[in-house]
Amino acid sequence: MVEFATHGFTRATMKGIAEAAGVSTGLVQHHFGTKQGLRQACDEAVLEIVRRKLDVIAEIDREGTVRPDIISSLYGSSPLAVRYLIRVLVEGSEEGPALFDELASETERFLSGARPDLFPPGTTYARDGAAVMTSMHLGVAVFEAHLSRRLGLEVAEAASAARVGLIMLDVYMTMADWIASETGGRARTAIHRYAEDPDTGRNKEQNDG
């Protein structure tokens, strides 16, 4: 996982993996066959980590406590899993879609539970909203290097997970305040107009101008 997360699947080698593990290349091939077989084993291991973490988050929800951000909480418990997850999603893997869908499904449950009026359970809109939110949160991991540089800390370290999670919550709260304002309300109305009929929305905007 370290070799794949650091170098990517293409550049990582069976020899390098064996050396990092302190074993022979033949032993790695004996257990996993090919590099593809080894990546599949890593994919399954990370998927299991994600599922266990989501189970913990679901249990927290049932107890009525605050639901933490999935990605930040994953960083806190397994930063290597997050780094590997990003490699899988960016480079492509058989388990990539399953990993993303696991995160999106949990996010969908959260959105539908928090705002069933906006994201009715089982609807396409709830599914779409979850996909967008999951992608936004994964961006924290995708841009880990830039975010760490700007924040002056190592985002992947467990001690940083809480700070990133709190910042994200405050960003959402600020956006919610803006959307609830008169300016935000006009912007939302305009976006709805474009979504329903781009041509009508464009003409309306020009006429208003």
Side-chain angles (χ1 to χ4, degrees):
M1 284 176 61
V2 171
E3 290 295 300
F4 285 150
T6 303
H7 304 294
F9 179 73
T10 301
R11 289 189 297 166
T13 65
M14 292 289 275
K15 180 181 178 181
I17 292 168
E19 290 177 351
V23 298
S24 68
T25 303
L27 185 61
V28 177
Q29 292 173 329
H30 172 73
H31 285 286
F32 302 100
T34 64
K35 190 166 69 168
Q36 179 61 41
L38 183 56
R39 182 169 75 168
Q40 184 177 353
C42 290
D43 287 352
E44 292 170 354
V46 171
L47 182 56
E48 181 59 30
I49 291 172
V50 170
R51 285 172 175 164
R52 288 203 307 268
K53 192 61 184 179
L54 293 180
D55 286 343
V56 171
I57 292 173
E59 183 62 31
I60 291 174
D61 284 344
R62 285 192 290 271
E63 294 174 357
T65 53
V66 178
R67 175 188 179 279
D69 168 64
I70 293 175
I71 301 303
S72 291
S73 60
L74 277 174
Y75 259 133
S77 62
S78 184
L80 174 59
V82 175
R83 285 174 169 160
Y84 182 84
L85 171 63
I86 295 306
R87 280 286 189 178
V88 168
L89 294 174
V90 172
E91 294 187 347
S93 166
E94 291 183 3
E95 294 294 336
L99 288 164
F100 184 89
D101 289 348
E102 288 277 348
L103 294 171
S105 294
E106 174 61 24
T107 302
E108 183 176 344
R109 286 192 289 272
F110 166 70
L111 289 176
S112 294
R115 289 297 303 271
D117 55 325
L118 285 177
F119 302 99
T123 62
T124 298
Y125 198 67
R127 185 186 63 198
D128 293 349
V132 171
M133 185 174 181
T134 300
S135 298
M136 290 168 60
H137 283 201
L138 285 172
V140 171
V142 172
F143 296 104
E144 175 192 324
H146 296 291
L147 188 58
S148 296
R149 175 174 53 81
R150 290 287 292 183
L151 297 182
L153 50 78
E154 289 298 324
V155 172
E157 292 182 356
S160 304
R163 180 179 172 187
V164 174
L166 286 173
I167 291 173
M168 188 172 290
L169 288 175
D170 285 341
V171 168
Y172 277 133
M173 184 169 62
T174 301
M175 290 302 300
D177 291 341
W178 181 81
I179 292 170
S181 70
E182 182 178 350
T183 301
R186 289 201 303 268
R188 197 169 190 275
T189 299
I191 293 172
H192 268 293
R193 189 182 297 136
Y194 275 107
E196 293 170 358
D197 188 342
D199 291 332
T200 299
R202 190 177 298 108
N203 292 334
K204 172 65 175 174
E205 184 181 73
Q206 291 172 347
N207 292 334
D208 289 345

